[in-house]
Amino acid sequence: DLDVISFLADVGTIGDWNMDGLPTDPLSTQNGILVTSSTRFPLLIDPQGQALNWIKNKERSNLPTWNGQNIVDLSDPKLKDKLELCMGDGKSLIIVGVEDEIDPMLDPVLEKEITKKGSRMYVNVSDKMMDYDPNFKMYFITRLPNPSFSPELQAKTTLIDFTVTQIGLEEQLLGKVISKEQKALEEQLTQVLEEVNANTKSLMLLDASLLERLTSNTGDLLDDEELVSVLANTKKKAAEVNAKLIAADETRLNIAEKREQFRPAATRGSVLYFSIVEMSLVNVMYQTSLTQFLELFMGSIDKADKATLASKRVSNIIETMTHM
């Protein structure tokens, strides 16, 4: 069966996204693929702020800073100047505060009405020819959970829903429980994931380098001493990397087994959050934010009675969390 995720993104790239804060559930990974692969600029529905956090981390080396801020509000009076700076220097621009419409001034950029003059490219924004760098990226983010965008705006952008899922939230809450209860374990897991990601990318680079050598060779393969040497070296390095990956996988399985002891607390937290969110349909007074819920969740861990056995501790956390 064709797996869309593995077809469009490699393991190393997805690992980098997860390290930058993208949730590990399949839906979030598919959203990540849409954000990075679409030809149109993405418009993200992000009520809980997960997408903003991920993009800020992913683009941290390519974000300009204005008075300590690296995001721009759609209503910012200096939006045009900031757009010109980012577009000319090939920087990334994150625009927040989007509601139902986007400033028509940005239409030429959204539709990529690029004019080429010699080796340079320009976009006419509000009767001003601005330099356009192909490396320029722009992200629009709305915190509205159910915005009503016009079909025209949806056609100009790639609309992506980053609303948190129950499985994704459960994984996040599990990480928070472990960081409180078994901090060393969570740090060890982070280190192992970084090592696995680095080794996986190293293996992929070796494969790509070898393939390039083989395809660029024009003579007899056996007569090319340099190619034979590269083959032997690649084989040796690949064996080393595979051994490291096997060892890391064993460590990861041991850590995962210990983490699973605390999963019931994360599951209960995720169910509670979505129950509260659904209650807002009964009366708006029940509205809550993920940030507020996380504060209560972490508070319940602090207030719950301590216990030596993990199962008893989890039971105490669930009890405290449910009745807070």
Side-chain angles (χ1 to χ4, degrees):
D1 294 336
L2 177 64
D3 178 17
V4 175
I5 291 175
S6 59
F7 183 72
L8 293 173
D10 58 70
V11 178
T13 302
I14 294 170
D16 282 341
W17 293 347
N18 296 148
M19 297 305 295
D20 286 334
L22 184 72
T24 54
D25 59 289
L27 181 61
S28 296
T29 303
Q30 290 167 15
N31 284 343
I33 291 170
L34 283 172
V35 169
T36 54
S37 303
S38 60
T39 54
R40 292 172 294 183
F41 295 115
L43 171 54
L44 313 178
I45 300 171
D46 186 32
Q48 291 87 20
Q50 291 189 123
L52 178 60
N53 178 56
W54 170 56
I55 288 169
K56 284 170 74 174
N57 289 331
K58 185 175 80 71
E59 299 289 347
R60 56 185 170 271
S61 61
N62 202 37
L63 283 174
T65 305
W66 301 281
N67 300 320
Q69 294 289 322
N70 51 16
I71 58 176
V72 184
D73 197 279
L74 187 61
S75 60
D76 191 326
K78 293 186 178 179
L79 176 60
K80 184 179 175 182
D81 297 331
K82 292 175 179 178
L83 171 68
E84 184 175 10
L85 169 71
C86 293
M87 203 158 59
D89 293 346
K91 298 286 186 182
S92 298
L93 181 64
I94 301 175
I95 299 176
V96 297
V98 177
E99 292 188 355
D100 293 333
E101 295 179 347
I102 288 177
D103 193 330
M105 173 190 77
L106 297 170
D107 281 354
V109 184
L110 290 176
E111 296 176 8
K112 296 188 178 179
E113 296 175 357
I114 300 167
T115 305
K116 289 186 178 181
K117 291 184 180 179
S119 60
R120 300 178 68 177
M121 292 187 282
Y122 302 90
V123 175
N124 188 346
V125 180
S126 297
D127 296 324
K128 183 177 182 181
M129 296 298 286
M130 296 183 182
D131 283 311
Y132 182 87
D133 189 306
N135 295 316
F136 168 68
K137 294 176 185 175
M138 184 162 58
Y139 304 91
F140 296 96
I141 296 178
T142 178
R143 296 299 294 267
L144 299 176
N146 190 24
S148 54
F149 296 126
S150 66
E152 291 79 15
L153 179 57
Q154 293 183 46
K156 294 173 188 172
T157 59
T158 300
L159 187 62
I160 307 168
D161 189 355
F162 264 92
T163 304
V164 68
T165 62
Q166 192 163 329
I167 297 171
L169 181 59
E170 185 178 312
E171 287 298 326
Q172 288 181 59
L173 295 181
L174 180 59
K176 290 187 180 296
V177 174
I178 299 296
S179 65
K180 276 272 190 183
E181 300 296 305
Q182 303 276 340
K183 191 174 182 182
L185 196 66
E186 194 67 10
E187 288 173 354
Q188 187 184 0
L189 177 63
T190 303
Q191 185 181 347
V192 167
L193 289 175
E194 286 176 354
E195 289 174 2
V196 167
N197 199 30
N199 286 326
T200 302
K201 287 198 285 187
S202 175
L203 198 59
M204 290 168 65
L205 284 171
L206 286 172
D207 289 343
S209 174
L210 180 59
L211 186 62
E212 187 182 354
R213 285 269 185 181
L214 289 168
T215 53
S216 61
N217 187 282
T218 52
D220 191 334
L221 295 177
L222 296 176
D223 292 338
D224 191 335
E225 292 182 7
E226 188 181 350
L227 179 59
V228 172
S229 174
V230 168
L231 277 167
N233 190 35
T234 301
K235 185 179 178 182
K236 183 183 175 183
K237 285 183 179 177
E240 290 173 1
V241 170
N242 276 321
K244 288 179 181 176
L245 283 172
I246 291 168
D249 275 341
E250 289 175 1
T251 308
R252 187 165 57 173
L253 285 171
N254 290 333
I255 294 170
E257 194 174 324
K258 292 175 183 175
R259 289 175 94 242
E260 285 301 310
Q261 295 176 333
F262 293 90
R263 184 171 290 278
T267 304
R268 174 61 66 91
S270 183
V271 169
L272 274 175
Y273 173 75
F274 280 95
S275 298
I276 295 167
V277 169
E278 290 294 318
M279 281 298 292
S280 65
L281 299 174
V282 177
N283 194 307
V284 291
M285 68 175 280
Y286 294 110
Q287 282 186 344
T288 187
S289 68
L290 183 59
T291 305
Q292 182 188 29
F293 177 79
L294 288 176
E295 286 177 9
L296 291 170
F297 181 79
M298 299 306 283
S300 68
I301 296 174
D302 293 331
K303 290 179 181 177
D305 294 336
K306 304 293 180 186
T308 308
L309 287 173
S311 57
K312 180 62 178 171
R313 173 65 175 154
V314 168
S315 178
N316 291 343
I317 293 171
I318 289 173
E319 185 71 18
T320 306
M321 182 199 315
T322 307
H323 297 97
M324 270 188 76

